[in-house]
């Protein structure tokens, strides 16, 4: 890969001049190094940062995945981005909103990747972004609260953009990829970031108006998990194997367990392995 294209830095003025969003990225913090953009955004959110505030870092020293896992975040090659979302629907739709926000954000990220690279990413439930069977990105949504402005959500997105495959640590080298490795040329991170923030704002805004059933129509066609035999490692240490049947109105994954074809089991949280 061409080294100069690969390591071109993100530039605040350039990103800002290309943005076409109303709120997302209008307040943009571009950091060289941070522990985690989600942690930075959480702090800013608690201090009252406004809706759409974005934190980007060239490198994370303690990037976080779900359930306390680590997100590999080397410098100047990828995107590490966190957005503060302060909009929320009325009380009775709040839990639907919180369950769908990560899934809809994954749809937005997949769409941005498609627009910028022509690749056709898919999603592993709940919100892994895949190219082929390899993971090119992931999402971590966290909720916080500030004294004056009330609750907020941080949408954190990590996308592997210009890394070579052999740069990944050996424990997930076979299951990870980058956009550049797939298209075989460097990908402009500025263009990707601008597209990502635009798609995110559109999808998050429309989630405010939509019912769960409408989200299913946007999410399901991209979901590579549906129709597959899967193993789900549940958060309580148990596991379940079966056929991934469908997405429920609340964003849960519905499985037909191997040991009981007669019932559907709803999974709200867990890790999915595609078995076949
Ligand atoms: C995720 O977690 O996929 C969510 C990742 C979110 C990262 C973003 S970066 C910006 C923001 N700031 C943060 O601190 N976090 C967010 P999970 O589903 O738990 O996947 C983690 C697992 O993926 C790890 O245990 C590894 O196996 C694998 N992994 C770690 N780094 C990876 C990478 N760069 N590419 C592909 N796979 C990776």
């Amino acid at each position: 890969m061409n080294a100069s294209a690969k390591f071109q830095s993100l530039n605040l003025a350039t990103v800002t001049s290309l943005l076409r969003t109303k709120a997302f990225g209008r307040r943009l913090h571009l950091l060289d190094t941070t522990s985690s953009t989600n942690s930075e955004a959480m702090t800013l959110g608690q201090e009252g940062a406004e809706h759409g505030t974005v934190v980007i870092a060239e490198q994370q020293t303690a990037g976080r995945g779900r359930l306390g896992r680590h997100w590999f975040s080397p410098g100047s090659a990828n995107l590490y981005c966190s957005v503060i979302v302060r909009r929320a629907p009325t009380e009775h739709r709040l839990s639907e909103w919180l369950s769908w926000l990560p899934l809809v954000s994954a749809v937005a990220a997949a769409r941005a990747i498609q627009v910028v690279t022509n690749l056709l990413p898919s999603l592993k439930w709940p919100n892994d972004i895949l190219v082929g069977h390899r993971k090119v990105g992931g999402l971590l949504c966290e909720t916080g609260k500030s004294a004056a402005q009330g609750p907020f959500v941080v949408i954190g997105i990590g996308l592997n953009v210009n890394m070579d495959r052999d740069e990944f640590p050996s424990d997930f080298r076979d299951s990870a990829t980058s956009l550049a490795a797939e298209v075989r040329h460097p990908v402009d991170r500025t263009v990707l970031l601008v597209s990502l923030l635009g798609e995110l704002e559109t999808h998050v805004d429309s989630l405010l108006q939509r019912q769960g059933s409408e989200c299913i129509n946007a999410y399901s066609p991209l979901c590579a998990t549906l129709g597959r035999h899967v193993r789900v490692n549940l958060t309580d240490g148990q596991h379940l194997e079966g056929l991934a049947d469908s997405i429920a109105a609340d964003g849960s994954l519905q499985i037909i367990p191997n040991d009981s074809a007669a019932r559907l089991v709803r999974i709200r949280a867990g890790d999915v392995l595609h078995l076949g």
Side-chain angles (χ1 to χ4, degrees):
M1 195 180 294
N2 175 321
S4 62
K6 178 175 168 177
F7 293 116
Q8 217 156 51
S9 302
L10 291 166
N11 176 283
L12 191 62
T14 312
V15 174
T16 307
S17 70
L18 293 173
L19 273 178
R20 296 288 173 266
T21 49
K22 295 191 297 283
F24 280 25
R26 292 292 156 193
R27 288 283 159 92
L28 185 63
H29 299 256
L30 175 56
L31 310 172
D32 195 25
T33 300
T34 185
S35 56
S36 151
T37 56
N38 262 36
S39 302
E40 287 284 347
M42 269 293 161
T43 306
L44 289 170
Q46 281 152 4
E47 290 167 359
E50 66 194 56
H51 175 70
T53 299
V54 168
V55 180
I56 307 280
E58 287 286 8
Q59 178 177 353
Q60 298 184 119
T61 54
R64 294 189 277 118
R66 294 177 303 136
L67 306 169
R69 287 183 291 235
H70 176 65
W71 186 253
F72 181 62
S73 312
S76 307
N78 299 326
L79 284 183
Y80 315 112
C81 170
S82 300
V83 186
I84 297 174
V85 175
R86 284 202 185 274
R87 305 272 183 274
T90 49
E91 191 73 33
H92 76 284
R93 288 193 52 224
L94 202 56
S95 97
E96 182 178 277
W97 160 261
L98 291 174
S99 338
W100 273 104
L101 206 51
L103 281 73
V104 159
S105 302
V107 172
R111 175 78 191 137
I113 290 171
Q114 186 187 347
V115 168
V116 173
T117 66
N118 275 329
L119 291 166
L120 283 175
S122 60
L123 305 175
K124 181 158 81 78
W125 186 91
N127 45 29
D128 281 1
I129 303 158
L130 308 181
V131 175
H133 65 280
R134 292 171 194 269
K135 183 161 171 171
V136 78
L139 274 99
L140 174 67
C141 286
E142 297 178 299
T143 50
K145 203 169 182 182
S146 52
Q149 281 92 344
F152 62 91
V153 178
V154 170
I155 305 173
I157 303 183
L159 294 178
N160 302 323
V161 185
N162 284 327
M163 284 178 62
D164 290 330
R165 282 239 194 93
D166 57 13
E167 292 174 284
F168 288 106
S170 57
D171 50 331
F172 54 88
R173 190 171 298 149
D174 291 343
S175 61
T177 192
S178 75
L179 299 176
E182 297 298 324
V183 294
R184 294 171 188 279
H185 58 75
V187 171
D188 188 324
R189 289 187 302 149
T190 304
V191 172
L192 182 62
L193 173 61
V194 167
S195 177
L196 176 67
L197 293 176
E199 293 291 341
L200 264 182
E201 182 170 86
T202 304
H203 281 76
V204 169
D205 280 355
S206 76
L207 178 59
L208 274 173
Q209 326 294 335
R210 288 205 260 177
Q211 304 295 319
S213 54
E214 295 172 77
C215 299
I216 297 173
N217 295 337
Y219 183 83
S220 295
L222 288 178
C223 182
T225 304
L226 296 180
R228 316 262 307 235
H229 283 279
V230 295
R231 177 189 165 104
V232 187
N233 294 323
L234 302 166
T235 42
D236 63 2
Q238 310 253 47
H239 72 271
L240 174 74
E241 285 192 14
L243 181 69
D245 177 77
S246 49
I247 303 295
D250 65 354
S252 305
L253 178 65
Q254 302 193 111
I255 305 268
I256 303 171
N258 285 346
D259 58 5
S260 160
R263 69 190 170 106
L264 277 179
V265 174
R266 277 190 183 196
I267 310 291
R268 285 191 63 91
D271 272 320
V272 171
L273 283 177
H274 291 167
L275 298 178

